[in-house]
Amino acid sequence: MVSSSHEAMHRIFQEDPGIFARTFAALGIPFPEPIAVSLLPTDLTEIQPLERRVDSLLQIDTASGVSYLLAVEAQGKRDPDKPGNWAYYLAHLYAKYRLAPVLLVTCQDRATARWAAEPVIIGVAGWETLTVRPLVLGPHNVPAITDPAVAAADIPLATFSVITHGRDPNAAAILKALATALKTIDEDTAQIFAELTELGLGTAPAADLWRDLMTVDLDFFRSQTSQRIREEGREQGREQGRAEAQAAAIFEVLTLRGIKVSDRGRRRIADCSEFDLLHQWFRRSLTATTEDDVFSDGDEHSGRL
């Protein structure tokens, strides 16, 4: 089962693909800033009884006219099967799109990052047929952003910094910088990145601190934990406003991710006044690939459209 932290690690690149070029520029690895980005299908399955999916797949177009593919994989631990899968991904993508593929692996601990960064050499002694060289982002090279001004200048990178440094002894300063920075942007965008942060931290020790920070300004943040506290003592009229804001956030996420929603589905979201149900739909929208995934049969309110 794919974890929420796994999803958050690669979804950030869908929210802001430019984070890839900016991060590696800071590390002295030059990649041109994208001028256009296309979200491509992640299914790399051939007509065989074996399914292979990359986490995220983006086509990056640059001002120089050069385009390449960015395949993002979130890796939580060592997996002896992954090097073979990565070799398959890259060969298949090159054959299908005729564009140079770049494999980006994101990790949340140094040991996994070191393992993932090792080149995968396929061939016989004296003759290397294929070499896979993943680019790896993790706590070993992603900057720990502790300055709120720096975090505000690049919210996606600051969010990724929090997730990759969730087990860092200095995690408190990194989280506080992001929490302060989120107050400088519009509420809907802040809600998306606050939610991604909570999902990405998972069970890391910093998760409890993040939930505490989200309760400080309850009129601004809407993470899962802060919503439960905010509900206490609120007037019923305010509840409707919160439901409308959550519905708007669902529409924004689905639009950003290119998921089409039917007129009936839009009415269902817009007319719903139950905040808890809307919040479930919002969380599903972060990983859904179709409208049906949002309205899955995971709660008693769900039903077929």
Side-chain angles (χ1 to χ4, degrees), residues 2 60 93 124 148 168 194 222 229 231 234 254 274:
V2 177
I60 309 293
L93 290 172
V124 297
D168 192 289
R222 295 190 181 91
I229 299 175
E231 288 172 2
R234 293 294 186 184
L254 294 176
E274 298 179 49

Side-chain angles (χ1 to χ4, degrees), residues 20 36 38 50 78 85 87 111 162 176 187 196-197 201 212 240 244-245 262-263 273 279 291 300 302 304:
F20 169 71
S38 305
L50 178 64
R78 294 171 62 107
N85 290 342
V162 165
K176 290 177 182 177
E187 292 189 18
L196 280 172
T197 301
L201 288 172
D212 290 341
Q240 182 61 35
E244 291 174 357
S262 66
D263 291 341
S273 60
H279 191 63
E291 175 183 332
E300 63 182 6
S302 297
R304 300 184 64 85

Side-chain angles (χ1 to χ4, degrees), residues 4-25:
S4 59
S5 59
H6 175 102
E7 291 291 338
M9 288 288 281
H10 66 86
R11 294 294 178 192
I12 289 177
F13 290 87
Q14 295 182 6
E15 293 291 342
D16 180 8
I19 187 179
F20 169 71
R22 295 195 302 276
T23 302
F24 278 100

Side-chain angles (χ1 to χ4, degrees), residues 265-284:
R266 288 186 172 277
R267 288 196 301 271
R268 183 175 181 182
I269 294 172
D271 293 344
C272 182
S273 60
E274 298 179 49
F275 180 82
D276 288 342
L277 179 56
L278 285 167
H279 191 63
Q280 283 188 338
W281 291 346
F282 172 77
R283 292 176 69 91
R284 291 174 188 161

Side-chain angles (χ1 to χ4, degrees), residues 89-133:
Y89 295 162
L90 298 175
H92 177 85
L93 290 172
Y94 182 73
K96 182 175 182 178
Y97 293 101
R98 294 298 178 184
L99 292 174
V102 175
L103 173 63
L104 175 63
V105 180
T106 60
C107 304
Q108 289 182 292
D109 67 273
R110 295 175 184 273
T112 301
R114 285 194 299 268
W115 166 80
E118 297 175 359
V120 180
I121 300 174
I122 300 174
V124 297
W127 194 266
E128 299 176 2
T129 303
L130 177 66
T131 301
V132 178
R133 295 178 59 213

Side-chain angles (χ1 to χ4, degrees), residues 23-250:
T23 302
F24 278 100
L27 299 175
I29 305 175
F31 275 89
E33 186 74 18
I35 59 172
V37 176
S38 305
L39 186 63
L40 301 179
T42 61
D43 191 348
L44 308 183
T45 306
E46 294 287 359
I47 305 176
Q48 300 175 2
L50 178 64
E51 182 182 59
R52 300 180 190 267
R53 289 180 182 271
V54 68
D55 286 337
S56 290
L57 180 61
L58 305 170
Q59 177 176 324
I60 309 293
D61 302 322
T62 68
S64 64
V66 175
S67 299
Y68 61 93
L69 301 176
L70 178 63
V72 183
E73 280 276 274
Q75 193 66 31
K77 61 182 179 180
R78 294 171 62 107
D79 183 346
D81 293 331
K82 273 304 176 72
N85 290 342
W86 292 340
Y88 172 90
Y89 295 162
L90 298 175
H92 177 85
L93 290 172
Y94 182 73
K96 182 175 182 178
Y97 293 101
R98 294 298 178 184
L99 292 174
V102 175
L103 173 63
L104 175 63
V105 180
T106 60
C107 304
Q108 289 182 292
D109 67 273
R110 295 175 184 273
T112 301
R114 285 194 299 268
W115 166 80
E118 297 175 359
V120 180
I121 300 174
I122 300 174
V124 297
W127 194 266
E128 299 176 2
T129 303
L130 177 66
T131 301
V132 178
R133 295 178 59 213
L135 285 169
V136 179
L137 286 177
H140 66 297
N141 60 1
V142 172
I145 299 176
T146 58
D147 185 337
V150 176
D154 196 334
I155 296 292
L157 181 58
T159 302
F160 195 66
S161 177
V162 165
I163 294 174
T164 53
H165 290 277
R167 294 175 174 83
D168 192 289
N170 199 33
I174 305 171
L175 267 65
K176 290 177 182 177
L178 177 59
T180 301
L182 289 180
K183 299 178 184 179
T184 67
I185 60 177
D186 67 275
E187 292 189 18
D188 289 339
T189 303
Q191 180 179 352
I192 292 173
F193 285 101
E195 190 74 24
L196 280 172
T197 301
E198 185 169 333
L199 291 174
L201 288 172
T203 59
D208 289 338
L209 176 57
W210 181 251
R211 283 188 282 269
D212 290 341
L213 288 171
M214 292 301 94
T215 65
V216 173
D217 190 346
L218 302 182
D219 285 327
F220 188 82
F221 295 110
R222 295 190 181 91
S223 69
Q224 181 182 18
T225 302
S226 65
Q227 286 295 354
R228 290 198 299 266
I229 299 175
R230 189 182 182 189
E231 288 172 2
E232 297 176 2
R234 293 294 186 184
E235 298 178 359
Q236 189 166 354
R238 299 279 291 179
E239 295 297 314
Q240 182 61 35
R242 293 172 63 237
E244 291 174 357
Q246 186 73 93
I250 295 172

